[in-house]
Amino acid sequence: MVSFILCLLPALLATSAQAQTVTCHQCSGSAESCLPADGTCSVGTAKGGCFTMAEENTLHGTKTTLFSKGCLSDYNSGIKVPITFTGGNGKYLKINTTRCNDADNCNSALLEVPKENTTTNGRQCPTCLSLNANTCDSQITPCTGNEIYCIDFVGEIQKGTPAVKSPFAAKGCATESVQGIKTGDTLVSAGYTFTFTKVTASPAEKTPTSTKPPTTTKPTQATTSGASPALGKFSFALGLTGLLLVKLLS
């Protein structure tokens, strides 16, 4: 009996170890490179899991759509929900992300980027973006969709292999999910790695509404001719009566 248990123990340990890891699809780049994915990776489910990300941005002036899939060593780190940011002058960043660790290759599906919403929401923020400096000159811009927070971010942006790093400064309208970004955090998107040295996020102010002054009614002015027509007729009758009396008395 003891020998049987000793023989069974390695198999149980192997099964337990296998149950504590998950295999994830791994890829980065265009939709073609991520469907199907280029490769796979494995990670322990105690803290890690799989992720899928879709990104659309116009940070460099033209619209770029990127995708990535892979393993997360810390399942609870970083942004776990969709996030969008608008920096004015047509510059924006949209990131959609999901996480899972309940089954192998649970990140096989390809995500869509967050839908664009151009309907103004009655709020406004200072907006600007610089990818080569740690300051930028802002202007007030109406916010749209569910971007109801104002952000002021400064840090370093990294792109490509080998990595090219440069400072960045951004102000603009963003979704409430930006509250999850703190000073010192690193956000890895499908195309960039952002390291934040300054983070400010606060509810956007309401857009001031213009009010028209009340309409005033000018008082009716009297005619320059003096009395009304009725009074004129009355005066004429008195004059005629006086003339008749003079003739009778003479």
Side-chain angles (χ1 to χ4, degrees):
M1 184 67 179
V2 174
S3 299
F4 173 76
I5 295 175
L6 290 175
C7 293
L8 185 61
L9 185 60
L12 293 173
L13 291 175
T15 304
S16 177
Q18 185 177 6
Q20 293 176 357
T21 62
V22 63
T23 300
C24 311
H25 284 287
Q26 187 173 32
C27 63
S28 180
S30 65
E32 289 76 15
S33 63
C34 280
L35 195 65
D38 294 337
T40 60
C41 59
S42 297
V43 66
T45 57
K47 291 185 62 178
C50 308
F51 77 89
T52 307
M53 186 177 292
E55 172 187 338
E56 182 180 288
N57 74 78
T58 55
L59 300 184
H60 291 278
T62 58
K63 185 169 75 172
T64 302
T65 304
L66 298 168
F67 302 89
S68 64
K69 299 177 182 180
C71 294
L72 285 169
S73 58
D74 188 350
Y75 192 78
N76 294 313
S77 64
I79 298 297
K80 309 174 188 64
V81 292
I83 180 174
T84 69
F85 154 76
T86 302
N89 296 322
K91 303 293 181 66
Y92 64 79
L93 173 67
K94 304 175 183 178
I95 301 173
N96 195 9
T97 181
T98 60
R99 301 178 178 200
C100 61
N101 62 359
D102 54 344
D104 286 340
N105 301 320
C106 58
N107 65 337
S108 59
L110 200 64
L111 290 181
E112 293 184 352
V113 295
K115 299 293 185 181
E116 183 178 12
N117 188 337
T118 58
T119 303
T120 55
N121 58 25
R123 298 179 180 272
Q124 64 180 20
C125 294
T127 61
C128 62
L129 177 67
S130 173
L131 297 181
N132 296 296
N134 53 19
T135 61
C136 60
D137 297 325
S138 62
Q139 59 183 3
I140 299 299
T141 303
C143 298
T144 60
N146 59 349
E147 294 183 349
I148 58 173
Y149 269 68
C150 292
I151 64 96
D152 184 352
F153 290 165
V154 176
E156 185 179 72
I157 184 172
Q158 177 178 320
K159 181 184 180 183
T161 304
V164 177
K165 299 180 180 180
S166 62
F168 82 91
K171 297 180 182 180
C173 304
T175 48
E176 189 176 359
S177 51
V178 295
Q179 292 185 96
I181 302 175
K182 307 299 180 183
T183 300
D185 281 355
T186 296
L187 172 63
V188 180
S189 72
Y192 302 92
T193 298
F194 300 90
T195 302
F196 300 94
T197 58
K198 174 188 175 182
V199 174
T200 302
S202 58
E205 294 183 355
K206 291 184 178 180
T207 304
T209 55
S210 58
T211 56
K212 294 183 179 180
T215 304
T216 56
T217 304
K218 294 182 178 180
T220 304
Q221 297 182 354
T223 59
T224 56
S225 59
S228 65
L231 183 57
K233 291 180 180 180
F234 180 70
S235 300
F236 174 76
L238 287 177
L240 184 59
T241 303
L243 181 61
L244 291 174
L245 288 175
V246 170
K247 286 187 176 183
L248 289 174
L249 295 174
S250 60

